[in-house]
Amino acid sequence: MEITERIKQATAAIREKTSQKPAIGLVLGSGLGDFAQQLEGSTVIPFSQIPGFPVATVEGHAGEVVIGSCGGQAVVALRGRVHYYEGHPQQVVTIPVRVMKQLGIHTLILTNAAGGINLDFSAGALMLISDHINCSGSNPLIGPNLDEFGPRFPDMTDIYTRALRVRLKQDAQAAGIPLQEGVYAMFSGPSYETPAEIRMLRTLGADAVGMSTVPEAIVARHAGIRVIGISCITNMAAGILGPLEHAEVMATAQRVKSDFIRLVKLAIAAAAQ
Ligand code: HPA
């Protein structure tokens, strides 16, 4: 099925299940899916029941769309996401972002688990993404441009909307939630990076590394959606401390859950402005 057809079918299938009109999108990364329980009056639709949607396979990613309200805002949340390393082209990985655009979102909050590269960070830190470096080896906009979403050569200067970052930093500080800010680099995975790759990324100006988010942010920006990115630093990146394990990623995400939930609620409130 062609991408535009998949987007159309998935949008129609979700619209059939709910009359709620979400204005804000949210993607919940590895181990961070429990936020979806914060949504009130929610409709839950497994990815597998949405024709055209790619299906997630990784542990810690339930793979469902949850539509409900948070602080009076209608939100569409993706509990889990598909990753490039699962073998889908980035154009397919980002179908859900374009579906959320069709559902009417104006702002997208992207969250992920990431490895800390900046030596001032430690596991459990939350980092607002100020910008990204795409080391994934691909780009979700490769292929014919979908003119109905945006231009062939979209500007990425303010991809993680500065005005929303300024507001969220103030609100997090007022709420006593420690919040770092930095540059997120994406490697494709699924192998974790090598210590040499992490030293390279630090030299290049990256503060954190992960295997997602960049394709979704690019496609959102292309479609004129404002983006907020939040990384949960679940571990220090390769070569800084001990060897890396997915179990550690999940355990740290669990440990910072209450601050993460509070921060995402503030991000939703900021996005509503
Ligand atoms: N590297 C890449 N992806 C990750 C990491 C990491 O160290 N931690 C969580 N996701």
Side-chain angles (χ1 to χ4, degrees), residues 84 88-95 98 134 136-141 186 188 214-216 218-219:
Y84 183 45
H88 309 282
Q90 291 190 6
Q91 201 185 36
V92 171
V93 166
T94 52
I95 285 174
R98 286 175 162 152
N134 183 2
S136 72
S138 189
N139 186 297
L141 302 178
M186 177 187 173
S188 72
V214 165
E216 293 138 312
I218 292 171
V219 162

Side-chain angles (χ1 to χ4, degrees), residues 113-116 184 191-193 198 209-211 232 234-238 244 249:
Y184 175 91
S191 55
Y192 287 114
E193 303 72 33
I198 295 304
V209 60
M211 306 176 192
C232 172
T234 51
N235 55 279
M236 289 310 283
L244 310 189
V249 170

Side-chain angles (χ1 to χ4, degrees), residues 11-159:
T11 307
I14 294 171
R15 281 216 183 105
E16 232 168 64
K17 298 234 158 95
T18 176
S19 57
Q20 296 188 67
K21 303 249 176 299
I24 297 165
L26 172 63
V27 179
L28 296 165
S30 296
L32 304 169
D34 286 355
F35 181 87
Q37 290 158 5
Q38 303 292 318
L39 298 179
E40 290 160 15
S42 62
T43 302
V44 180
I45 316 167
F47 288 178
S48 58
Q49 286 178 21
I50 305 173
F53 235 60
V55 175
T57 57
V58 192
E59 186 198 339
H61 295 75
E64 51 195 30
V65 172
V66 183
I67 301 173
S69 73
C70 180
Q73 301 302 316
V75 174
V76 51
L78 262 55
R79 186 166 188 203
R81 53 153 65 88
V82 293
H83 290 83
Y84 183 45
Y85 61 71
E86 291 175 68
H88 309 282
Q90 291 190 6
Q91 201 185 36
V92 171
V93 166
T94 52
I95 285 174
V97 174
R98 286 175 162 152
V99 170
M100 289 190 280
K101 169 74 182 178
Q102 300 299 62
L103 291 173
I105 68 161
H106 54 67
T107 308
L108 177 62
I109 302 164
L110 296 169
T111 73
N112 59 50
I117 294 176
N118 185 324
L119 296 172
D120 292 336
F121 294 177
S122 56
L126 294 170
M127 184 191 91
L128 193 55
I129 301 176
S130 58
D131 203 346
H132 73 223
I133 300 175
N134 183 2
C135 295
S136 72
S138 189
N139 186 297
L141 302 178
I142 288 174
N145 185 51
L146 300 189
D147 296 330
E148 65 272 37
F149 286 95
R152 171 77 293 188
F153 301 110
D155 175 56
M156 294 285 140
T157 306
D158 191 28
I159 179 163

